[in-house]
Amino acid sequence: MKKIELKPIIVTILLIAFQSICFLLSKLIQGSPNLIGNKIDTLIPFNIWFIIPYCIWYILIFVVPYLIYKKNKDSFVKYIYSYIFVTIIANIIFIVFPTTVLRPDVEATNILTFMAKAVFTIDTPICNCFPSLHCAVSMLFITFVFENKNFSNISKVLITFISILIMIATLFVKQHVFVDLISGDLLALLCYYGISYNYKKNNKIKKLLKL
């Protein structure tokens, strides 16, 4: 059995901590949120089953970066850069243009409604929706898995399928609206291609982490 490496796990925890701190700080200094949404969102019903893929995201943010690290160290370093830039840009937008969405009241009567109730309670008041970080990070999963030739086709299809399902889930559990999804994906692609274009293999982060 292969030994689990702690370095990518620790780095991932630090990235998530950085995102969480930025998220909380932006909530403290932003103004009143703007209610957003359009006709597309009114056609999308609340579906409790989508809370499952929505919560799977919290597992993937540890699993996928670890797999990227194991497959290609350069891709992992680019993932770090991309994640940081996505977080910074998103939180600047949260401060400049804070948003909120309408979501239903959920009574915890079974495991699925309990999960939804927990998510809604933790994420109260509901704000910092545009762009969706759930969607942005999911798009990073897709881009980095597909750029890496060491991933099998089955792994690429599976991770892509789950990531897309997570994006759709953000709409069906009413945590986000359609424009949040699109803006999150565009932000991820912008950061990914920007980092890839300017990336140099002998970079400071790689040396710092001794990869």
Side-chain angles (χ1 to χ4, degrees):
M1 184 176 179
K2 293 183 178 180
K3 183 180 179 181
I4 295 177
E5 296 190 49
L6 292 178
K7 187 178 293 184
I9 297 174
I10 294 172
V11 171
T12 300
I13 291 173
L14 291 174
L15 288 175
I16 295 170
F18 174 70
Q19 176 190 327
S20 300
I21 291 171
C22 289
F23 190 85
L24 292 174
L25 287 176
S26 65
K27 277 190 172 184
L28 291 175
I29 62 178
Q30 65 189 196
S32 299
N34 302 282
L35 180 63
I36 59 174
N38 53 42
K39 291 183 178 180
I40 295 177
D41 302 297
T42 62
L43 298 175
I44 301 174
F46 175 76
N47 189 315
I48 193 61
W49 286 98
F50 278 93
I51 196 63
I52 297 175
Y54 183 87
C55 290
I56 287 176
W57 183 85
Y58 295 102
I59 299 174
L60 287 193
I61 55 176
F62 290 98
V63 174
V64 176
Y66 186 84
L67 295 176
I68 294 171
Y69 172 87
K70 296 294 288 185
K71 299 294 183 180
N72 188 296
K73 302 297 189 297
D74 284 319
S75 289
F76 183 69
V77 173
K78 287 196 290 183
Y79 173 82
I80 294 172
Y81 276 120
S82 299
Y83 194 104
I84 291 173
F85 275 94
V86 162
T87 298
I88 293 173
I89 295 172
N91 279 277
I92 291 174
I93 296 173
F94 295 158
I95 295 170
V96 175
F97 183 64
T99 60
T100 187
V101 296
L102 294 175
R103 64 185 184 190
D105 291 325
V106 177
E107 184 178 350
T109 57
N110 55 50
I111 184 62
L112 295 180
T113 53
F114 177 81
M115 290 167 63
K117 186 72 173 181
V119 169
F120 288 0
T121 300
I122 293 171
D123 194 18
T124 298
I126 177 69
C127 58
N128 293 359
C129 303
F130 172 87
S132 166
L133 286 175
H134 247 70
C135 296
V137 176
S138 296
M139 180 56 73
L140 288 183
F141 294 159
I142 296 172
T143 54
F144 279 101
V145 165
F146 267 91
E147 84 156 18
N148 200 319
K149 296 179 180 179
N150 295 325
F151 277 96
S152 67
N153 289 332
I154 294 177
S155 296
K156 291 179 179 179
V157 170
L158 182 60
I159 292 174
T160 299
F161 174 77
I162 296 174
S163 297
I164 292 174
L165 194 59
I166 290 170
M167 296 179 198
I168 296 172
T170 65
L171 305 182
F172 280 93
V173 297
K174 298 301 178 180
Q175 279 290 91
H176 290 283
V177 292
F178 188 69
V179 69
D180 298 337
L181 185 158
I182 297 300
S183 58
D185 288 351
L186 290 176
L187 174 59
L189 292 173
L190 175 66
C191 291
Y192 167 77
Y193 285 111
I195 294 300
S196 297
Y197 182 78
N198 295 287
Y199 180 75
K200 294 181 180 179
K201 289 187 176 181
N202 296 320
N203 60 80
K204 293 181 180 180
I205 287 186
K206 190 173 183 181
K207 290 180 180 178
L208 179 64
L209 298 177
K210 297 180 180 180
L211 299 179

